[in-house]
Amino acid sequence: QVQLVESGGDLVQAGGSLRLSCVASGNIRIINSMTWYRQAPGKERELVASISGGGSKTYSESVKGRFTISRTNGETSTYLQMDRLKPDDTARYLCAGDITPIGAMRGVYWGLGTQVTVSS
């Protein structure tokens, strides 16, 4: 099976930086795209950034210019560099992979998330 594990969340002061990691493991044939979402209490889940299999990147307007999504050459690890953090960035950050496993159908796999808290 496919597993995604996030790490890197922490408590940080406004203006600070964090780097989140998402590692995909298991019987992976193709990683079609990886996407970071976030969800704050009482708010809807929000797409933060996404990177396609071809390397194309998209960002939400709220993080454009402050966050950078990247991945390793092997594509199994995806990172979210978050700079100039604001209290509004406080949320649980989740990684979702559009993945085709070996011998199984393409699907979307989710990690459990990592908490980011930005203090003012």
Side-chain angles (χ1 to χ4, degrees), residues 9-53:
D10 206 343
L11 171 63
V12 64
Q13 287 189 333
S17 297
L18 283 175
R19 187 181 189 232
L20 305 185
S21 300
C22 173
V23 178
S25 63
N27 297 326
I28 297 171
R29 185 164 71 91
I30 301 171
I31 295 180
N32 302 291
S33 67
M34 294 289 282
T35 302
W36 284 97
Y37 292 83
R38 66 186 181 187
Q39 187 158 24
K43 294 186 179 180
E44 293 187 358
R45 185 171 292 179
E46 175 189 12
L47 188 152
V48 176
S50 185
I51 184 165
S52 71

Side-chain angles (χ1 to χ4, degrees), residues 66-114:
R66 300 188 297 121
F67 290 11
T68 304
I69 191 170
S70 63
R71 64 183 185 192
T72 58
N73 289 334
E75 301 182 356
T76 57
S77 294
T78 304
Y79 305 98
L80 186 68
Q81 177 67 39
M82 306 188 296
D83 298 319
R84 303 198 307 276
L85 283 160
K86 305 175 182 179
D88 283 349
D89 295 319
T90 295
R92 189 162 190 84
Y93 284 71
L94 303 105
C95 179
D98 178 351
I99 293 171
T100 305
I102 296 171
M105 294 186 66
R106 178 175 176 175
V108 178
Y109 297 83
W110 289 84
L112 296 179
T114 185

